[in-house]
Amino acid sequence: MGMMRKKGVASLMLASVMAFAVACNGGSAPEQGGAKAESSTGPKKVVFWHAMGGANTKVVDQMVADFNGSQNKVKVEAIYQGTYDELLNKLKTSMGSNEGPTVVQMYEIGSRFMIDSKAITPMQKFIDADKYDVSQLEPNIIGYYTIDNKLYSMPFNTSNPLLYFNKDIMKASGLDPEKPMKTFEDVKQAAEAIAKSGKANGITIQINGWFMEQLFANQNAEYVNNGNGRKSLATESLLNTEPGLKVLTWWKSMLDSKALINLGRNAGDTRKAFASGQVGIMLDTTAALKGIVEDASGKFEVGTGFLPKPADVKEGGGIVVGGASLWMMNNRSDSEQQSAWEFIKFLSSPKEQAYWHISTGYFPVTVKAYDEQSVKDNMKKYPQFQTAVDQLHQTKLTLATQGGVMGVFPEARQLVEGAVEEVLNNKKTPKEALDATAKTITSKIQQYNKTVKQ
């Protein structure tokens, strides 16, 4: 899923960038880079590495089988490589050899690193050559992966965060579940009312750096400097600015008033607590919506709402798309890359995106997928998903909502989670934790930037 990351990423990031740069030799053209010799007979082989585990592996395999069965010129081999973090590390190890993929799925926070590696062919090259109509893609989704007016990768699995709530618990606590909780203050008031009623714990928020990033964007605030790293390479973390302080102060205040129960970094723990009725409200990804609704089936009705923001933030803001996209590796021959492009277009088609959305809960990245009858039927079955679609479409694309980009993002996300833990465990104040973490992230960004070939 788009937002759920396991521990153990990217302290290797800095050393790996240097290895990448050496291995890729500045991004030589495929024909000059010694790509694997090709067979002139039979279908062209395309290797696709991905990080879709569990039930999603079967969905990916089915889409690949559908593509392979639709024509006889290209044969795609899909290989599951573990979590996003594991996949990234395996990709780094494969560089400089012919053992890597043709196409790789990479989580959104790996984008700056992929660009800086000089190991990829921007998707824009194929879009321009093919006169591919990008207007068929969701503008707020491609906005994340567009830098310097160039679409570097093709969106694949996309999610954003929602507020989930137990309508039955809210009613039993004297609250109106049909009245939207729009602000931090609304959420805190509702969570405190639930806790005081004794019906359940008020709210739980998984300790995940993704939420901090989203709550910045919802205040129309940039996460790193230099236009969120989009005007030029980011050089400084903005974590300890006023938007960050508002988020962490709100989070801690709910713990202090006994409205919030802290269940740590594991999304499974927060979802179990919600499904069992132990907690009335939680933040989670849209990608988990189907499972959350089904787990509550027969027990209570699940409500969904937009991500909240501070009451004094009146204008702008919205969500940043999470999830991952597809990247083309440039050490493969032109003809192999062209074959991979045909596969990528297939995955982006309305029919395939409809299947992907219904089977996984991720957004369709193609607008016309919503016209597919299967998607309309699914929306009737899971009306809560309309909240997610509305939130996506009502977000205005700004530098803040496009999302921050920095080469050390996976590591930065873990550092943010550590800061949240320090505050919730009463080891530091919000300001102390954010100041120290911003300083550390800034230092790592600047170290990384020194290794990047301009």
Side-chain angles (χ1 to χ4, degrees), residues 9-22:
V9 116
S11 44
L12 297 171
M13 183 68 75
L14 183 60
S16 299
V17 172
M18 301 177 79
F20 241 94
V22 172

Side-chain angles (χ1 to χ4, degrees), residues 162-167 169-170 173 175 181 183-195 200-206 250 254 259-261 263 270-271 273-275 277-284 300 302-306 308:
L162 283 180
L163 195 66
Y164 290 86
F165 48 90
N166 182 321
K167 287 189 174 184
I169 287 176
M170 290 192 75
S173 304
L175 299 165
M181 293 176 278
T183 67
F184 283 5
E185 292 78 4
D186 291 341
V187 172
K188 182 179 179 182
Q189 186 177 19
E192 288 177 344
I194 292 169
N201 293 291
I203 186 172
T204 187
I205 301 175
Q206 179 205 5
W250 166 69
M254 291 190 291
L260 179 142
I261 178 172
L263 297 174
T270 57
R271 289 174 196 160
F274 184 76
Q278 293 175 33
V279 66
I281 306 168
M282 72 170 177
L283 291 184
D284 211 327
F300 61 87
V302 176
T304 50
F306 283 16

Side-chain angles (χ1 to χ4, degrees), residues 380-401:
K380 288 179 184 175
K381 187 175 181 181
Y382 301 99
Q384 296 92 340
F385 199 83
Q386 189 62 49
T387 308
V389 175
D390 291 345
Q391 181 174 237
L392 176 70
H393 290 164
Q394 289 179 31
T395 293
K396 293 179 180 178
L397 211 55
T398 66
L399 289 171
T401 60

Side-chain angles (χ1 to χ4, degrees), residues 107-123:
Y107 54 0
E108 84 282 20
I109 56 173
S111 296
R112 182 74 256 174
F113 177 77
M114 292 297 287
I115 294 169
D116 293 338
S117 74
K118 306 290 194 297
I120 58 98
T121 303
M123 211 56 64

Side-chain angles (χ1 to χ4, degrees), residues 195-453:
K196 286 176 183 175
S197 75
K199 303 294 182 185
N201 293 291
I203 186 172
T204 187
I205 301 175
Q206 179 205 5
I207 297 177
N208 191 311
W210 192 60
F211 289 136
M212 182 66 78
E213 297 150 30
Q214 295 289 349
L215 292 165
F216 257 75
N218 210 23
Q219 299 176 64
N220 205 30
E222 293 164 21
Y223 205 57
V224 289
N225 70 344
N226 294 337
N228 235 354
R230 291 178 176 273
K231 292 180 177 178
S232 60
L233 284 179
T235 60
E236 183 183 359
S237 168
L238 302 179
L239 182 68
N240 61 336
T241 54
E242 185 180 6
L245 197 58
K246 284 180 178 178
V247 171
L248 205 43
T249 300
W250 166 69
W251 201 330
K252 178 62 160 59
S253 72
M254 291 190 291
L255 182 71
D256 290 343
S257 68
K258 295 182 171 54
L260 179 142
I261 178 172
N262 175 26
L263 297 174
R265 299 193 190 196
N266 190 328
D269 293 338
T270 57
R271 289 174 196 160
K272 285 176 187 174
F274 184 76
S276 65
Q278 293 175 33
V279 66
I281 306 168
M282 72 170 177
L283 291 184
D284 211 327
T285 174
T286 53
L289 187 148
K290 186 176 179 181
I292 290 169
V293 173
E294 289 179 346
D295 286 346
S297 180
K299 295 186 286 187
F300 61 87
E301 186 179 356
V302 176
T304 50
F306 283 16
L307 193 70
K309 63 178 69 176
D312 60 357
V313 176
K314 304 295 184 186
E315 299 296 327
I319 50 84
V320 180
V321 298
S325 63
L326 306 178
W327 294 77
M328 188 80 73
M329 305 308 292
N330 68 10
N331 66 332
R332 321 312 293 184
S333 71
D334 285 346
S335 56
E336 186 176 325
Q337 290 185 50
Q338 188 60 42
S339 297
W341 168 241
E342 296 303 319
F343 171 58
I344 289 168
K345 285 193 294 183
F346 176 85
L347 293 182
S348 304
S349 66
K351 182 181 177 182
E352 290 302 307
Q353 280 297 304
Y355 172 69
W356 176 246
H357 161 64
I358 293 165
S359 303
T360 65
Y362 285 111
F363 284 107
V365 302
T366 307
V367 178
K368 287 186 178 178
Y370 290 106
D371 295 334
E372 295 282 323
Q373 189 58 47
S374 57
V375 172
K376 292 177 181 178
D377 293 343
N378 191 67
M379 199 72 79
K380 288 179 184 175
K381 187 175 181 181
Y382 301 99
Q384 296 92 340
F385 199 83
Q386 189 62 49
T387 308
V389 175
D390 291 345
Q391 181 174 237
L392 176 70
H393 290 164
Q394 289 179 31
T395 293
K396 293 179 180 178
L397 211 55
T398 66
L399 289 171
T401 60
Q402 272 186 282
V405 283
M406 54 176 150
V408 295
F409 216 142
E411 189 172 3
R413 185 173 279 179
Q414 288 191 9
L415 289 166
V416 170
E417 291 167 6
V420 173
E421 284 175 336
E422 287 179 324
V423 171
L424 297 182
N425 292 332
N426 290 311
K427 292 181 178 178
K428 288 183 180 177
T429 66
K431 187 175 188 312
E432 288 169 345
L434 293 175
D435 281 347
T437 305
K439 185 177 179 181
T440 301
I441 294 172
T442 293
S443 174
K444 291 183 181 296
I445 290 172
Q446 292 174 358
Q447 285 178 304
Y448 170 90
N449 289 350
K450 290 176 183 176
T451 72
V452 176
K453 264 190 177 180

